[in-house]
Amino acid sequence: ECQKTIDMLVNEGAMREVMIVGVYNTENRMNEYTYSYDKTVGAGGQADEYLDFLEHVVLPYVETRGYRVNTTRERLGMIGSSLGGLLSCYAGWTRSDVYGTVGCM
């Protein structure tokens, strides 16, 4: 449904064209999506490394695939829900030079 909704909003002029890149999550997501270690859960604290991975591996990969993509701050955003929302908020807070738009649900 995401594609249909975006197509409708773009066609109505309610939003700009976007490219959605979904990175598969693994059982390590609690570590990767959180910025501090939680001793009660025994996990967390690798958000900076994960954001480095997105910036230095995923984005360059997408750029080399021939897609029409703009990764300037003004056009690059991140959105997520639950732990993905926490990561998106953290990315916007700590890397505002990279991400011009974030959505945190």
Side-chain angles (χ1 to χ4, degrees):
E1 294 302 313
C2 182
Q3 185 67 57
K4 289 180 185 178
T5 302
I6 290 173
D7 287 346
M8 179 187 69
L9 292 171
V10 168
N11 289 332
E12 291 175 354
M15 68 177 284
R16 298 184 299 211
E17 286 185 305
V18 297
M19 172 186 253
I20 298 173
V21 177
V23 179
Y24 184 76
N25 65 57
T26 68
E27 64 222 23
N28 202 31
R29 67 190 289 274
M30 181 67 78
N31 288 315
E32 294 171 338
Y33 290 16
T34 57
Y35 53 86
S36 63
Y37 182 78
D38 183 341
K39 64 182 177 182
T40 64
V41 178
Q46 296 176 357
D48 285 307
E49 290 87 348
Y50 187 72
L51 291 172
D52 288 343
F53 164 72
L54 294 177
E55 291 173 41
H56 303 295
V57 176
V58 175
L59 287 177
Y61 175 80
V62 171
E63 290 175 315
T64 63
R65 303 309 293 172
Y67 296 111
R68 187 175 49 116
V69 60
N70 183 339
T71 58
T72 61
R73 180 199 178 278
E74 293 74 27
R75 297 301 301 261
L76 190 61
M78 180 185 292
I79 187 169
S81 64
S82 191
L83 284 177
L86 178 66
L87 179 66
S88 297
C89 183
Y90 184 69
W93 185 261
T94 62
R95 299 179 187 223
S96 59
D97 60 320
V98 177
Y99 301 99
T101 303
V102 295
C104 316
M105 299 182 286

